[in-house]
Amino acid sequence: MLTWSVIRPFLMVFGGCMSSIVSMEYILQIDPSAGNLVTCTEFVFVMLQSLPQYVTVKSGGIRFAPRLASDQAHLMHGAVWVSMSVLVNVAYGYNITVPIHTLFRSCNVVSSVIVGWLFFGVTYGVSQLFSVVLVTCGIFLATIGDASVLCVHCDGGILGALTNAKEDMRVWAVGIAILLLVLFLQAFLGHLQRIFYDRYPGTSDEFMFFSHVYALIPTFLMAQGLVKSLSNLAASQPISPLVPVPSGLVYLLANNITQSVCIRGVFALSAVVSPLSVCNRALALEPPLIWFNNPWTGLHSLATLCIFGGSSVPILAMWLSSKKEKEQ
């Protein structure tokens, strides 16, 4: 049933993700390698908000509050979460733009269906399979559209020309492969969350907190790069003559806040709907396109319509079902 418990996290995901994409674009303009710093600070920001709820300080030292979910569940959830979070930023180093990055991460419908059917024994209805067809078309169109920006077809007139076109295409193909892997990790995580939330009711905040604690472990391996990126942001131009604060740090804080809203919305939404119904981010592409003039073709536009439309089918089906129940 479509209730406020579903609408509220939906709006959190949509608004939070849209705003975080804008701030992320500003950060990457200052330092293209700052993706890991952004993710690390996001983890710390979300973790600190939940710290009083799950950590107590006594005379004997620091202790975690008793957990409702098992250690095995937290380790499985944390391992998938950490892997996904690290690879998400790795993709930016392979000619992957923010729009194509967001488009691919909006395509979790396809990967959710495949993973659900192969590993979790989930069956799907006609509307859900129709959704998969639309989103698959969107992925194909988005990939071809992004490739057209890198390729030069002398006789075809496809836009985009780079000096080392072949090498750029190889690098870009690796980036696309990483995004595909992230998609399936994201889908696997969604199904794990559904199982764990059913088994341990009311633990979405608990899983979110401990996943972010685990996610800080890989950051120790990237300490040197994180310090360099932080220095670059700190050395950026002031946000305003009246506010002498480095713009990079302001955008970083803004990204932390908006991404926190988005992540909390994702975890809350995963607790009340199926993985297939979790909000997609396709419309969140509009701000970076308008503000930053990212490379965009007609194929990208068609892909956005297919992905948003296909991802919205399960939500529409849920709304119609809810309306039908009320009428009865």
Side-chain angles (χ1 to χ4, degrees), residues 222-254:
M222 303 179 288
Q224 187 175 356
L226 297 179
V227 172
K228 182 180 178 182
S229 293
L230 185 60
S231 299
N232 290 338
L233 296 186
S236 59
Q237 294 295 320
I239 190 71
S240 165
L242 300 177
V243 185
V245 180
S247 56
L249 298 182
V250 174
Y251 297 139
L252 184 62
L253 177 61

Side-chain angles (χ1 to χ4, degrees), residues 124-139:
Y124 299 96
V126 175
S127 64
Q128 293 166 321
L129 294 177
F130 175 67
S131 169
V132 170
V133 171
L134 278 179
V135 174
T136 302
C137 291
I139 295 175

Side-chain angles (χ1 to χ4, degrees), residues 33 70 135 156 273:
S33 63
S70 68
V135 174
V273 300

Side-chain angles (χ1 to χ4, degrees), residues 190-267:
H191 287 283
L192 277 182
Q193 287 174 329
R194 177 180 58 84
I195 292 172
F196 291 151
Y197 294 166
D198 287 343
R199 187 180 301 169
Y200 309 106
T203 56
S204 61
D205 286 343
E206 179 179 303
F207 275 102
M208 180 179 68
F209 172 73
F210 284 101
S211 293
H212 283 72
V213 172
Y214 298 146
L216 288 176
I217 297 173
T219 62
F220 292 109
L221 303 175
M222 303 179 288
Q224 187 175 356
L226 297 179
V227 172
K228 182 180 178 182
S229 293
L230 185 60
S231 299
N232 290 338
L233 296 186
S236 59
Q237 294 295 320
I239 190 71
S240 165
L242 300 177
V243 185
V245 180
S247 56
L249 298 182
V250 174
Y251 297 139
L252 184 62
L253 177 61
N255 181 270
N256 287 174
I257 295 171
T258 53
Q259 189 65 15
S260 173
V261 173
C262 178
I263 290 172
R264 287 181 179 278
V266 168
F267 274 82

